[in-house]
Amino acid sequence: MIENKISIKSIHIKNFRSIRNVVLNVENYNTFVGLNDAGKSNLLKALNLFFNNQTDYGNSFDFSTDFSYLFPKNSHNTREIKIKVMFSIPSGFRDCGDIIWEKSWRTNHYFKEKMVTGNGKELGSRSRVPFALKQIRFRYIPAVKSKDYYKGLLSDLYIAASASLANPLKESIDKLSKDLKDYADDINQKALSHLKLSSHLSMPN
């Protein structure tokens, strides 16, 4: 277990695509090996649904197609997809230890989620755990990667690079933008003063 890190301890999936009911105990690094159509991708797609409300890359959840085709047709049990993830919360949080985050989906856009401690107790209203868990970013990488996937990857790379620009470079860009705006405002004033023309130059974003 990595200290001071939130980690996943177990994953419980019910009624999702080819997965009828499975519980997986996981560690920090996991490798899944199996034949084609054994359910490896559906495990990752279930996590993509859990974290991103998508199944395949870029495709929103659709209960009619994502509900397990292995569900008994004559069953009187509720037709429901349920994914439950147990996290290990480090000691830096007041609610440290095991936390279970559960989500369930039914027809007619029904959705429900809850977070409880490992022994089933509700989290307090001031707990920082829900906010921390909802900051997790899960990326599903499909086996067959389309052009749209690479476009999305480049977009994410651009956003990350922009966010990490060195401060001196950002300050220089901001100063240039301000100088150009001041210059455009000066031209507007001179056009009004000398030519009696009311005009407006604006800088592009």
Side-chain angles (χ1 to χ4, degrees), residues 185-203:
D185 290 342
D186 185 56
I187 292 176
N188 291 335
Q189 290 298 323
K190 288 180 177 178
L192 180 62
S193 175
H194 298 294
L195 303 176
K196 307 303 181 188
L197 293 175
S198 179
S199 62
H200 180 71
L201 295 176
S202 62
M203 297 304 301

Side-chain angles (χ1 to χ4, degrees), residues 55-100:
T55 48
D56 290 305
Y57 180 79
N59 291 336
S60 298
F61 167 70
D62 183 347
F63 186 89
S64 63
T65 56
D66 293 321
F67 183 72
S68 178
Y69 55 82
L70 298 175
F71 188 84
K73 292 182 178 179
N74 296 326
S75 174
H76 295 293
N77 293 330
T78 303
R79 292 171 58 86
E80 178 180 60
I81 296 173
K82 184 176 289 187
I83 303 174
K84 186 188 302 184
V85 181
M86 179 184 287
F87 296 86
S88 177
I89 307 298
S91 58
F93 291 82
R94 182 175 61 183
D95 296 312
C96 59
D98 293 341
I99 295 293
I100 299 171

Side-chain angles (χ1 to χ4, degrees), residues 164-176:
S164 61
L165 275 174
N167 284 336
L169 178 58
K170 184 177 185 304
E171 290 171 1
S172 297
I173 292 172
D174 290 343
K175 184 177 183 304
L176 175 61

Side-chain angles (χ1 to χ4, degrees), residues 33-194:
V33 180
L35 299 173
N36 290 341
D37 297 324
K40 303 184 300 296
S41 293
N42 282 339
L43 166 64
L44 299 178
K45 289 174 183 177
L47 288 174
N48 198 31
L49 169 60
F50 185 87
F51 287 109
N52 300 323
N53 201 38
Q54 295 182 344
T55 48
D56 290 305
Y57 180 79
N59 291 336
S60 298
F61 167 70
D62 183 347
F63 186 89
S64 63
T65 56
D66 293 321
F67 183 72
S68 178
Y69 55 82
L70 298 175
F71 188 84
K73 292 182 178 179
N74 296 326
S75 174
H76 295 293
N77 293 330
T78 303
R79 292 171 58 86
E80 178 180 60
I81 296 173
K82 184 176 289 187
I83 303 174
K84 186 188 302 184
V85 181
M86 179 184 287
F87 296 86
S88 177
I89 307 298
S91 58
F93 291 82
R94 182 175 61 183
D95 296 312
C96 59
D98 293 341
I99 295 293
I100 299 171
W101 186 4
E102 179 181 308
K103 296 185 178 183
S104 55
W105 298 260
R106 298 179 191 171
T107 55
N108 299 320
H109 306 289
Y110 172 93
F111 171 75
K112 184 179 180 180
E113 68 175 320
K114 65 177 181 180
M115 284 186 200
V116 295
T117 64
N119 55 13
K121 291 183 179 179
E122 297 279 339
L123 295 176
S125 59
R126 300 181 65 181
S127 175
R128 294 187 296 123
V129 169
F131 176 79
L133 291 182
K134 289 180 181 181
Q135 299 308 302
I136 293 174
R137 295 294 174 261
F138 175 85
R139 175 174 288 281
Y140 168 64
I141 301 176
V144 179
K145 301 167 185 65
S146 65
K147 289 183 179 180
D148 288 338
Y149 171 77
Y150 286 108
K151 286 179 182 178
L153 201 61
L154 285 173
S155 175
D156 290 345
L157 180 62
Y158 174 79
I159 292 170
S162 298
S164 61
L165 275 174
N167 284 336
L169 178 58
K170 184 177 185 304
E171 290 171 1
S172 297
I173 292 172
D174 290 343
K175 184 177 183 304
L176 175 61
S177 297
K178 181 179 182 304
D179 289 344
L180 289 173
K181 181 180 182 303
D182 291 344
Y183 184 63
D185 290 342
D186 185 56
I187 292 176
N188 291 335
Q189 290 298 323
K190 288 180 177 178
L192 180 62
S193 175
H194 298 294

